Amino acid sequence: MTILILGGGASGMMAALAAAECGRHRVVLVERQARLGRKLLATGNGRCNLTNTHADGDSYHGTDPAFCRPALEAFSVTDTLDYFHRLGLLTVTEPTGRVYPYSDQANSVLDVLRFALEQAGVEVHAGCEVRKIWKRRNGFLLKWDGGEAAGEKLILAAGGAAGAKLGGTTLGYDLLGALGHKSTVLHPALVQVCTEGTFTRGLKGVRANGRVTVLRGSRVLAVTEGEIQFTETGVSGPAVFEISRAVSTGGDGLTLSLHLLPQFSKEAIVTLLQTRCAQLPDRPAEDLLTGMVHNRLGKLLGKAAGIGAEARLGALGPDRLDRLADTIGDLRLTVTGTMGMDNAQVTVGGVETAGFDPQTLESRRVPGLYACGEVLDIDGDCGGYNLQWAWSSGRLAGLSASKETEES
């Protein structure tokens, strides 16, 4: 019996390892890129945030977020870490719950997976692009330039459209569409947000810890705290990635509100400013926020509040300090969109989960066909949640296909 896996990313490799566990089946893994796991190497800024200790069903989104629960419960975060530890990977868990390889190198995760695939006897074909799936009476046939493979079961783990430079593709949606499955509208997530005006241009590369709120008028669509990175075209960083889903799916008329000292109330900020003015009355106003925020950010916040750089601190009255405190606590940036799918790390949307059994990930339309990972309409929060979905769904698909094969 042969089990085919189309896609050599995180979910595909895990599916192949799970399918090969019993040792009775031929497992064939076909990847269109020249090497397996290329996108995996870029996760977590090259560190590979492989999971999060807080990952559960509440951390995921889609038309039917509950669809992910059986897979996550069958192969939990604890199960995932135990699995990787058995493969020889050492990990470290940060206070936020994010888990990284102890080496701080993503290739450590990929290497232990590669070794495991070799040890399990998985047949790997890299650099092989499959453009069509042939459904046959006894299974499936995959063809690529210079080769082909047939099998009784097929697991599609082709990934999502995000990050084309790292292998993102719409091929998985197209292949499943040809077999009768529908897809939702796709949006980018975990992506930079673009804003109007030149304010952020002068802050390119500056980082700050703050609270980010997505607003439509007075309605709050999303809010989170963390690191914000200013870019030439807008804002980025972990906190922005966290709310980028709300931006990409929220339509027009959105605004970002940045609180750049979220641990302080407005009254406390005013007190800080008054104290600084009293201590250094002869310093220029551009030095007012020195030691509180990045110097470039401090100068631009003062300018945004209408405070001239050459004014002396001792001459600043209550009104101007009050206005600056408002700016620090509620800096408004008009949203113009996001950087798009090519720059995104995750795809929002995908193949409709209603067409698959959540207990096995088998197609309800095509017996013997399974799907896992980002190609499905499930996406997680920023911080290791999407890789956990890849591990959990890949393992469930691999075990399900293997079990069905044994029973057939």
Side-chain angles (χ1 to χ4, degrees):
M1 295 289 186
T2 299
I3 301 174
L4 307 174
I5 294 97
L6 183 54
S11 62
M13 287 187 285
M14 184 60 78
L17 289 170
E21 275 190 5
C22 72
R24 300 175 186 172
H25 315 305
R26 177 188 178 215
V27 179
V28 180
L29 177 59
V30 183
E31 165 57 34
R32 71 185 186 89
Q33 297 201 92
R35 62 178 299 182
L36 302 181
R38 188 179 172 202
K39 194 172 181 181
L40 184 66
L41 293 176
T43 61
N45 289 323
R47 299 172 61 203
C48 191
N49 180 192
L50 72 154
T51 188
N52 193 299
T53 57
H54 304 302
D56 57 31
D58 294 333
S59 309
Y60 295 87
H61 316 279
T63 303
D64 179 17
F67 178 87
C68 70
R69 289 185 180 274
L72 293 170
E73 290 169 359
F75 195 58
S76 66
V77 174
T78 299
D79 297 328
T80 300
L81 291 177
D82 287 345
Y83 185 89
F84 276 102
H85 292 160
R86 289 196 300 272
L87 295 185
L89 184 74
L90 298 180
T91 61
V92 59
T93 303
E94 296 187 344
T96 59
R98 299 181 185 216
V99 181
Y100 294 90
Y102 192 82
S103 67
D104 235 17
Q105 298 294 315
N107 65 284
S108 294
V109 180
L110 181 57
D111 285 343
V112 298
L113 289 170
R114 287 194 303 106
F115 297 162
L117 290 168
E118 293 173 9
Q119 186 68 24
V122 174
E123 184 180 323
V124 176
H125 297 272
C128 302
E129 187 164 19
V130 174
R131 285 289 177 182
K132 182 179 179 181
I133 297 170
W134 279 265
K135 179 68 179 76
R136 309 197 304 184
R137 185 175 63 86
N138 294 324
F140 305 86
L141 175 65
L142 305 180
K143 289 185 179 182
W144 57 89
D145 289 344
E148 64 178 45
E152 288 73 23
K153 306 292 178 184
L154 170 63
I155 301 171
L156 198 142
K165 292 180 181 179
L166 297 172
T169 177
T170 60
L171 185 59
Y173 315 123
D174 297 336
L175 292 173
L176 287 173
L179 294 173
H181 285 277
K182 297 179 180 180
S183 294
T184 70
V185 176
L186 305 179
H187 298 278
L190 306 195
V191 66
Q192 298 176 19
V193 173
C194 300
T195 58
E196 195 176 83
T198 60
F199 182 85
T200 65
R201 194 171 301 163
L203 295 173
K204 182 180 178 181
V206 170
R207 299 172 188 268
N209 287 313
R211 180 183 305 134
V212 186
T213 304
V214 183
L215 298 165
R216 177 181 286 112
S218 61
R219 181 187 172 197
V220 175
L221 302 186
V223 60
T224 191
E225 288 189 22
E227 183 183 288
I228 302 164
Q229 180 179 345
F230 293 92
T231 71
E232 188 171 2
T233 57
V235 286
S236 184
V240 173
F241 280 8
E242 190 67 60
I243 54 84
S244 62
R245 187 186 201 278
V247 172
S248 66
T249 61
D252 298 329
L254 303 182
T255 302
L256 291 187
S257 169
L258 307 185
H259 192 323
L260 296 165
L261 289 175
Q263 67 273 43
F264 294 98
S265 66
K266 178 183 176 179
E267 292 74 18
I269 294 173
V270 169
T271 298
L272 288 172
L273 300 178
Q274 290 172 335
T275 301
R276 172 59 58 86
C277 291
Q279 290 174 333
L280 302 169
D282 296 325
R283 295 298 304 175
E286 66 177 8
D287 294 335
L288 178 53
L289 296 177
T290 298
M292 302 181 197
V293 297
H294 191 285
N295 285 345
R296 271 195 283 158
L297 177 58
K299 291 175 183 179
L300 284 179
L301 286 170
K303 183 178 179 181
I307 299 176
E310 298 305 318
R312 297 295 156 179
L313 294 185
L316 298 180
D319 289 346
R320 286 200 279 183
L321 295 184
D322 189 77
R323 192 182 316 128
L324 179 56
D326 284 335
T327 303
I328 293 169
D330 186 17
L331 177 65
R332 295 292 179 106
L333 300 174
T334 300
V335 173
T336 59
T338 70
M339 284 296 287
M341 196 68 81
D342 285 350
N343 294 280
Q345 294 183 20
V346 169
T347 308
V348 173
V351 178
E352 293 180 353
T353 53
F356 293 84
D357 182 346
Q359 300 297 328
T360 63
L361 299 184
E362 184 175 15
S363 169
R364 299 186 191 278
R365 298 177 179 274
V366 184
L369 173 67
Y370 302 78
C372 58
E374 194 179 347
V375 73
L376 292 169
D377 178 22
I378 291 290
D379 63 282
D381 293 337
C382 179
Y385 298 95
N386 288 287
L387 271 180
Q388 183 60 53
W389 166 242
W391 308 132
S392 296
S393 62
R395 183 164 176 83
L396 178 58
L399 291 177
S400 298
S402 176
K403 182 179 178 181
E404 292 297 322
T405 299
E406 289 177 345
E407 293 176 350
S408 61

